[in-house]
Amino acid sequence: MTAIVNFFAAAVRRFPWAVIIASVVLASILSPFASQVVVATGNEGFAPDNAEIQALERISELFGTEQEAVVQVVIRDPGGDVISGAGLEAAVAVEEAIRRVGGDMLSETTQRPGVVSFLAPVVQAAQLEGLPLDQLDDDVVDQIYQSAVSAMPPEQAGFVTGLLSEDGDPASASAEAAIVLAFFRGGEGDAVEVMDAQTELETRIADELETIDSEVEIRPFSFNLLFSGIDDFTSEVGRLFTFAGIIIVVILLFVYWLRPRGNTTRGRSVRRALADMALTMLTIFMAIGMMQGAGVLLEKAGILSAFSAPTQIVPILVIGLGVDYGIHLISRYREEAGEGESVDESMTRSISTSGVALVLATLTTVIGFLTNLSSPVPALADFGILAALGIFFSFLLMMTFVPAVRLLLDRRAETNGRLPVEAMGEQGERLLPQMMGRTAVIAERLPAVALAVAVALGALGWYGYTQLETRFSFTDFLPEDAPAIETLEILTDEFGGGFGEQTQVLIEAGDGQDLATGDIHNLMVDAGAGLGRLEHVSTFDTPQGPVANVTSPIGVLQQMFIGGPEAAPAEVLAAVQAAGMGQDLKVAEGIDVRPLYSALAAAEPEQMAAVTHYAGDTLDAVLFDVRTTAGEGEVPELRAGLEETFAGLETTGATAIATSQNIISDVVVNALTASQSSSLFLTLAAATVVLIVFFWIRNRRPFLGVITMAPVALVVLWTYGLMYAAGIPFGPVTATLAALAIGIGVPFTIHLARRFEEDRLEFDDIEEAIRSTTTHTGGALAGSAFTTMAGFGILMTSTLVPFKQMGQVTFFAIGLALFAAIGVLPSMLVLWERWHRRRDR
């Protein structure tokens, strides 16, 4: 480690121009790739590679992109009634707009039109009677609605009344909100192209709906519209990055300001502060560009999964931690120059002293972030890789580019007699160093008490850690005030989740198995009936009981006989009779049901193609596409119910896997919960081992590594305790806390411990040594802490929930890291040094 530092110091001193050119060339090679960064949306990058994710991929592979897409349009009149003249006018205008923009893509079947309105019975009855729709008042609409619904078959009536909000009452024809549904065919070809085309279509429909002048609210919603807000996400990240940079610039000017003394005029102080600030920020932006560029190359190589939402925090993290490196290096350089050393000697000593601490801090921080590779959530592993890259490039440039540029500038100033030596010599007399120096009184007089209080607070933090709730939602990474988010909340609160939630059950044949058998058909019939009894599954009320709203081979078969046997196509009826099917839809055991399914495919080709897949003549996969209303809160219960419902199929050798966006969210939560403790202990243990080895080799004092790491472990526990107190859950972003706290806390404690190792040899009195340490290093720590707190604090203004929580957590962690480094570590060092001196004596 010393050899590395000495190499950097020698290179900067002897070949500053070569160092600068090499740094610029490396940045020029890597940074252009940063323009190719594409941020993934939805579950990409988040979900572990497990059965549910594989099932989702298999569904896309087997059934293509021809899955139906549903757009829900909420018509709402808070405090009013949408079964009214205004509601009818809005519903008609919505259907006309949908057909005008996307009519050629609507999915129409013999049993269901492409657009289904909650007031469809009113429209149909009025047209039959020749009544003009635009002249029907509220009373007439109510009367027609009640009459039409009561005359409908129970299953159709149940579907229509199910479009009303939960406060709705079909008997009195009143509801504050209701839904118009539009069903669209999936496209053909590449999945990404189909998704883009669907999103574009739905966006055009949403834009068209905005032009409707209505007395009631009209709110379109679909998951494509929901996740099409990537531009909003990108602009939000850009805003946060910009404000963080501005705030850090202001604080850096304060930290780098030199009080005019001797040959240093106010103008020279301004120029030097601006120069050091600009050099620091330029270096950080170079490091961020190099990190992003290297990340793109790693993504192309398959090492990085994807640039996801959590990885977008990394540039702000690099700003915060990179600024720390710059402040420590420049502060130590100014201190050495202020004591009368030459520019070359001051820079060499600065790199040799602070550089060792920076190398150690970088190593432990990189290891801390790379422990995220053990996380089952790919986004966290990617976060760790990018953060490690960013920290490494920041360290590399701060140890080479910054001192080389500063050296060239100050050599000229030294030659011309303009170097502000006297002003630099007052570094320890400035406000922050003086404030930090006064905190040494705790270590001098009450070290044991301070340590006991810190440990007690750590115990409280551990309790908070054990009580943390784990939560995750893909929608968290969308602005809270986004219209689609507000509409989703309305659908969840007033419609039990709405009709847009899809849960798919993929049934696949075992090796050498064919699903087209009577036994498996009958088991699927039982499963379909079981779905109707599950809570959180959308159902229709029928004379035979609730029937699940599901698209499946059994569902297509049921639709054929809604109007009685005479309504079914002749070829289907013949196949049914040949299969010996009874009224319960079950067939004779051991029979081949391929002729029956072939007849269904001839009658409803699109529907059967969407739920059955053949490998040659073998039926190897069946899909149950279930409309559910569980939301994210009840998905564990829904998932357990689906597994139980389809358990019978597993006994035949087939597999049945339930999957959906919400189920995958639940998988992420379970993975985070399972890895929470192991990740924390692994991160702390790895950093501690590195510190023990370093101090054993460097000072023959390995326990100093434990002492240096102990306050950081307390910082992690304290921060978890504050998270619990503030109601901040454990999630994909806050899961990075352990690595982040080490990234912030370890440099603080290392700098202070390393400086104390120098000061204890220079001063005979321990109290003088600790005061010198807290004054000189403490001032730099306070400057870097306040800078980083300001940079991360801007995240608290974000409209993205995880970023806001990350801002709070990081703000806590930085403040506590400063407190631990200044208030706890000095007490530990004093106690330890006193014990050593007593033992040696």
Side-chain angles (χ1 to χ4, degrees):
M1 193 171 296
T2 303
I4 295 173
V5 171
N6 290 337
F7 170 78
F8 284 142
V12 168
R13 185 169 183 171
R14 296 178 185 177
F15 312 107
W17 277 111
V19 168
I20 293 171
I21 292 172
S23 300
V24 172
V25 168
L26 182 60
S28 300
I29 292 173
L30 291 176
S31 296
F33 289 102
S35 62
Q36 301 178 27
V37 169
V38 177
V39 181
T41 58
N43 59 38
E44 187 176 352
F46 280 104
D49 187 16
N50 59 12
E52 287 76 11
I53 277 290
Q54 293 172 2
L56 203 62
E57 294 172 350
R58 287 286 290 165
I59 289 170
S60 177
E61 176 187 338
L62 296 174
F63 299 96
T65 55
E66 299 183 5
Q67 301 295 308
E68 251 185 3
V70 181
V71 174
Q72 303 174 81
V73 183
V74 177
I75 297 178
R76 187 167 175 257
D77 185 12
D81 183 9
V82 294
I83 304 180
S84 61
L88 177 62
E89 182 181 352
V92 171
V94 165
E95 180 168 354
E96 289 176 349
I98 291 173
R99 291 189 177 278
R100 184 164 57 250
V101 175
D104 57 338
M105 287 298 294
L106 286 172
S107 175
E108 312 259 9
T109 69
T110 55
Q111 287 79 28
R112 189 211 63 207
V115 180
V116 180
S117 168
F118 67 102
L119 288 179
V122 175
V123 173
Q124 294 169 2
Q127 289 174 342
L128 287 174
E129 296 179 21
L131 300 176
L133 296 176
D134 57 354
Q135 295 180 18
L136 301 182
D137 60 21
D138 296 351
D139 292 338
V140 173
V141 171
D142 286 353
Q143 293 171 7
I144 297 177
Y145 182 85
Q146 291 174 320
S147 175
V149 169
S150 62
M152 296 173 68
E155 61 273 13
Q156 294 181 12
F159 180 80
V160 171
T161 57
L163 297 175
L164 303 182
S165 57
E166 292 179 345
D167 70 296
D169 181 9
S172 62
S174 64
E176 289 190 11
I179 296 176
V180 174
L181 298 176
F183 301 90
F184 294 95
R185 298 190 307 274
E188 297 180 1
D190 180 76
V192 175
E193 294 177 356
V194 170
M195 181 67 71
D196 290 343
Q198 288 178 344
T199 302
E200 181 185 356
L201 172 63
E202 292 168 17
T203 301
R204 286 192 287 114
I205 289 173
D207 293 340
E208 185 72 14
L209 294 179
E210 285 186 7
T211 65
I212 297 175
D213 183 16
S214 176
E215 299 176 17
V216 297
E217 294 180 9
I218 298 176
R219 291 175 166 271
F221 177 82
S222 74
F223 285 97
N224 285 333
L225 290 175
L226 183 66
F227 289 111
S228 66
I230 186 62
D231 292 337
D232 295 334
F233 173 82
T234 304
S235 63
E236 174 76 356
V237 172
R239 181 186 71 81
L240 295 172
F241 185 80
T242 301
F243 277 105
I246 292 172
I247 292 174
I248 287 176
V249 163
V250 173
I251 296 178
L252 277 179
L253 289 174
F254 170 75
V255 172
Y256 286 149
W257 172 256
L258 285 177
R259 186 184 305 172
R261 285 289 184 275
N263 66 341
T264 307
T265 64
R266 185 173 296 276
R268 287 181 179 176
S269 293
V270 170
R271 286 196 297 273
R272 189 167 195 91
L274 286 172
D276 283 341
M277 177 277 296
L279 179 59
T280 302
M281 294 305 292
L282 172 63
T283 304
I284 290 171
F285 289 138
M286 288 171 63
I288 291 172
M290 294 164 70
M291 172 199 72
Q292 298 280 65
V296 169
L297 294 177
L298 291 179
E299 185 181 16
K300 293 179 182 295
I303 298 174
L304 201 71
S305 299
F307 283 84
S308 56
T311 64
Q312 300 312 294
I313 302 175
V314 176
I316 300 176
L317 182 148
V318 172
I319 289 181
L321 298 183
V323 162
D324 289 354
Y325 290 0
I327 289 175
H328 284 295
L329 187 71
I330 291 175
S331 295
R332 186 60 185 258
Y333 166 68
R334 288 181 174 184
E335 181 185 341
E336 296 292 341
E339 292 179 359
E341 300 287 349
S342 67
V343 167
D344 283 32
E345 184 61 29
S346 296
M347 188 60 74
T348 300
R349 284 180 58 83
S350 173
I351 296 175
S352 300
T353 53
S354 294
V356 172
L358 291 179
V359 170
L360 195 55
T362 299
L363 182 60
T364 53
T365 304
V366 166
I367 289 175
F369 282 120
L370 288 181
T371 56
N372 281 327
L373 291 173
S374 65
S375 173
V377 180
L380 295 187
D382 296 337
F383 176 93
I385 293 172
L386 281 177
L389 283 173
I391 297 303
F392 171 74
F393 286 128
S394 294
F395 161 77
L396 184 64
L397 293 175
M398 287 295 179
M399 288 288 287
T400 55
F401 181 74
V402 169
V405 172
R406 188 73 268 172
L407 187 70
L408 290 176
L409 293 175
D410 283 355
R411 277 178 178 174
R412 179 178 299 179
E414 184 179 44
T415 302
N416 297 332
R418 292 185 284 104
L419 191 68
V421 175
E422 188 174 342
M424 289 179 173
E426 294 187 351
Q427 283 289 101
E429 300 177 12
R430 299 186 62 196
L431 177 61
L432 284 180
Q434 288 297 311
M435 289 175 58
M436 295 299 103
R438 292 190 184 99
T439 64
V441 68
I442 300 173
E444 293 172 18
R445 299 181 182 179
L446 301 168
V449 174
L451 189 57
V453 171
V455 172
L457 291 175
L460 291 176
W462 174 258
Y463 172 78
Y465 169 74
T466 61
Q467 301 301 309
L468 280 177
E469 178 188 3
T470 303
R471 285 206 307 262
F472 170 72
S473 172
F474 296 117
T475 60
D476 284 345
F477 293 95
L478 299 173
E480 290 178 293
D481 57 354
I485 291 291
E486 295 175 357
T487 306
L488 179 60
E489 291 174 354
I490 291 171
L491 288 168
T492 300
D493 296 339
E494 301 183 23
F495 295 89
F499 285 76
E501 181 180 303
Q502 289 177 286
T503 302
Q504 297 170 311
V505 180
L506 175 64
I507 302 169
E508 289 193 273
D511 292 338
Q513 186 182 31
D514 192 332
L515 298 178
T517 68
D519 295 341
I520 291 178
H521 171 88
N522 292 339
L523 287 171
M524 289 195 294
V525 171
D526 290 337
L531 289 174
R533 296 188 292 269
L534 280 184
E535 191 178 2
H536 311 305
V537 169
S538 176
T539 60
F540 306 126
D541 291 327
T542 70
Q544 291 77 35
V547 174
N549 184 1
V550 56
T551 303
S552 68
I554 309 305
V556 176
L557 187 58
Q558 285 175 321
Q559 290 177 9
M560 293 291 174
F561 294 93
I562 286 179
E566 65 278 1
E571 61 273 19
V572 173
L573 192 58
V576 163
Q577 293 171 345
M581 192 181 83
Q583 291 185 350
D584 59 358
L585 303 184
K586 291 187 176 181
V587 301
E589 293 183 5
I591 197 168
D592 184 355
V593 294
R594 269 177 294 196
L596 173 59
Y597 288 178
S598 297
L600 292 174
E604 291 289 351
E606 290 186 6
Q607 288 194 58
M608 286 298 288
V611 294
T612 55
H613 181 271
Y614 289 88
D617 293 331
T618 302
L619 179 64
D620 64 343
V622 170
L623 183 67
F624 275 63
D625 195 348
V626 189
R627 304 291 178 184
T628 54
T629 59
E632 293 178 341
E634 307 297 333
V635 72
E637 291 80 0
L638 173 64
R639 186 180 178 190
L642 290 172
E643 289 177 355
E644 183 179 352
T645 300
F646 286 88
L649 286 159
E650 299 275 357
T651 63
T652 68
T655 60
I657 304 295
T659 186
S660 70
Q661 289 280 358
N662 289 337
I663 287 177
I664 292 170
S665 294
D666 187 55
V667 168
V668 174
V669 168
N670 292 335
L672 286 172
T673 302
S675 65
Q676 184 173 344
S677 297
S678 60
S679 176
L680 170 62
F681 290 120
L682 177 62
T683 304
L684 292 175
T688 302
V689 168
V690 171
L691 292 178
I692 289 173
V693 171
F694 169 78
F695 282 110
W696 179 68
I697 296 174
R698 176 86 176 185
N699 304 85
R700 299 301 178 193
R701 306 178 90 181
F703 193 68
L704 187 56
V706 178
I707 292 176
T708 305
M709 194 64 201
V712 180
L714 288 174
V715 169
V716 176
L717 294 178
W718 296 341
T719 309
Y720 277 128
L722 285 178
M723 282 177 60
Y724 172 66
I728 300 173
F730 189 81
V733 174
T734 54
T736 63
L737 172 61
L740 189 62
I742 288 177
I744 294 167
V746 167
F748 282 16
T749 56
I750 286 175
H751 281 298
L752 195 130
R754 285 280 302 149
R755 182 58 185 251
F756 180 72
E757 281 295 287
E758 296 177 30
D759 289 339
R760 75 179 185 85
L761 299 177
E762 183 176 346
F763 297 95
D764 292 331
D765 185 68
I766 298 177
E767 285 72 18
E768 288 185 38
I770 203 66
R771 278 197 298 272
S772 173
T773 297
T774 54
T775 298
H776 291 93
T777 300
L781 291 180
S784 62
F786 295 150
T787 305
T788 312
M789 288 171 74
F792 280 100
I794 196 65
L795 291 174
M796 288 190 283
T797 68
S798 176
T799 60
L800 306 177
V801 173
F803 283 17
K804 183 183 295 184
Q805 293 171 347
M806 188 66 172
Q808 293 174 282
V809 168
T810 311
F811 191 87
F812 294 157
I814 298 169
L816 293 172
L818 178 62
F819 172 74
I822 298 300
V824 178
L825 181 58
S827 296
M828 298 179 70
L829 292 172
V830 166
L831 289 172
W832 190 58
E833 184 64 19
R834 286 174 180 172
W835 179 80
H836 264 288
R837 293 193 179 191
R838 285 196 302 269
R839 189 191 65 171
D840 292 344
R841 186 175 298 118

